[in-house]
Amino acid sequence: MKLAKVSGTITATRKEGIPNGLRILVVSYLDEELRETGNTGACVDTVNAGSGDVVLLCSSSSARMTELTRGAASDNTIIGIVDSISTGRDMIYSKNQAEQQKK
Amino acid sequence: MKLAKVSGTITATRKEGIPNGLRILVVSYLDEELRETGNTGACVDTVNAGSGDVVLLCSSSSARMTELTRGAASDNTIIGIVDSISTGRDMIYSKNQAEQQKK
Amino acid sequence: MKLAKVSGTITATRKEGIPNGLRILVVSYLDEELRETGNTGACVDTVNAGSGDVVLLCSSSSARMTELTRGAASDNTIIGIVDSISTGRDMIYSKNQAEQQKK
Amino acid sequence: MKLAKVSGTITATRKEGIPNGLRILVVSYLDEELRETGNTGACVDTVNAGSGDVVLLCSSSSARMTELTRGAASDNTIIGIVDSISTGRDMIYSKNQAEQQKK
Amino acid sequence: MKLAKVSGTITATRKEGIPNGLRILVVSYLDEELRETGNTGACVDTVNAGSGDVVLLCSSSSARMTELTRGAASDNTIIGIVDSISTGRDMIYSKNQAEQQKK
């Protein structure tokens, strides 16, 4: 899986293999210090991720291993919203703290 | 999925695994600001995309998850034509505006 | 799919998962102006491609979606010989012209 | 497969396709001399790997070929803890030695 | 498929999805002139490849399309030992010659 930050939303009236209810988002991939790498991708959202959320992305045929994407033409699915990441005893990311800093 | 711009058409009389009706296109991959990256690829079209359209590409086994590509030897399928992309409140791409600017 | 040029032939007496009749070729990947990128790969041929031919390569599980490679251990299959590539009204590659220039 | 070193742990309350019991870890990929490359990824752990362990990662649909990940939305699974790596007669990595040096 | 040179052996007592009999090797990927690229990977061996052998590697779900790896957690399998590679009339690699030069 990859870590990425949600950056935008795509609309596509004319599409194949993606059920109409599924949201298609733009994400920006993150490096190990959670900085944006400049690489971007499109994906299907299954967890109602919001703009700025750090998310877990699952690719290839495994991108279809959720209830919402089974049989869908998704090769990149957001399968989780990251609450926190810790390295040893240090917490290097906390969704709660990130949201409080924004306010 | 990846975002790309349709740039050309490929003809191949001698081919295996791609039904004759399917169009094979050349695309140029885009970065997060929708600039061409210089990376290119070939793909199968399922949505009748036109030259210059910004499209959604689906790869790996998921490239076969459309009615037209089921069982086909496609590892890269255009599954959508992008109407618009928005980041927060800003619309960073609109197919309508892009087409009006061309005229 | 990717565009590449056939550059060589591999022989491997000891092998698993590749039926004896299938040819294994070396290819050089091409960029959007059909120049060699310096990246190379090995692949299985299903269309009797010749040295110097511009070919279409299909990867991942889709590489097995031809009659000759069904069930084979190929993750990269030549599925087409490119006759021509056109961008808008310009033909940027023609197999016929390329072959006449060689003579 | 790839070689990587376990560097952190991810918590994600809201997730799809990953059973609750499975741990999600952050890894740092290694080069041939087992130095960290700076590239990072997230993965599912099936062998109870610990922080600092050198592990074997399996990707794509093969990431689901363990008892714990069958049917799971994992495209990257830790399938082994490396005990040692030898090149010819030289042992270039030994988990035992690495752990003794830490003490 | 990719061309690589066998460089080492991995032992991993604790592992999932890889049957005990299968050897796990380290390989170094080669460029078109068969020089090592500096990129490395781990793989499962099905052809009893030896150190220094130039081998064919098959990835993704196709890595499981051999008798020994069917159902195994391998995303990268050595499926052949390269005897020779020829470009047009020139033989650019011969296993026999490579072995005689070593002696």
Side-chain angles (χ1 to χ4, degrees), chain E residues 50-91:
Chain E
S51 182
D53 277 353
V54 174
V55 294
L56 267 176
L57 282 158
C58 185
S59 68
S60 83
S61 60
S62 297
R64 303 195 305 269
M65 294 292 133
T66 74
E67 278 191 33
L68 288 170
T69 56
R70 210 156 305 265
S74 174
D75 65 1
N76 203 24
T77 303
I78 299 180
I79 61 161
I81 299 176
V82 174
D83 293 325
S84 67
I85 303 175
S86 53
T87 310
R89 292 174 189 166
D90 300 323
M91 183 170 294

Side-chain angles (χ1 to χ4, degrees), chain D residues 1-2 7 10-11 14 22 28-29 39-40 50 55 57-58 63 67 69 76 79 81 84 88 95-97 100 103:
Chain D
M1 281 91 72
K2 284 183 178 161
S7 65
I10 295 174
T11 58
R14 183 162 206 156
L22 284 181
S28 180
Y29 294 105
N39 293 322
T40 191
V55 293
L57 282 158
C58 184
E67 277 192 33
T69 57
N76 204 23
I79 61 161
I81 299 177
S84 66
K95 183 170 153 65
N96 282 343
Q97 280 180 21
Q100 282 176 348
K103 287 176 190 171

Side-chain angles (χ1 to χ4, degrees), chain B residues 25-38:
Chain B
L25 300 180
V26 185
V27 290
S28 179
Y29 293 104
L30 303 176
D31 67 13
E32 59 188 332
E33 299 185 32
L34 301 184
R35 292 170 302 209
E36 302 189 22
T37 58

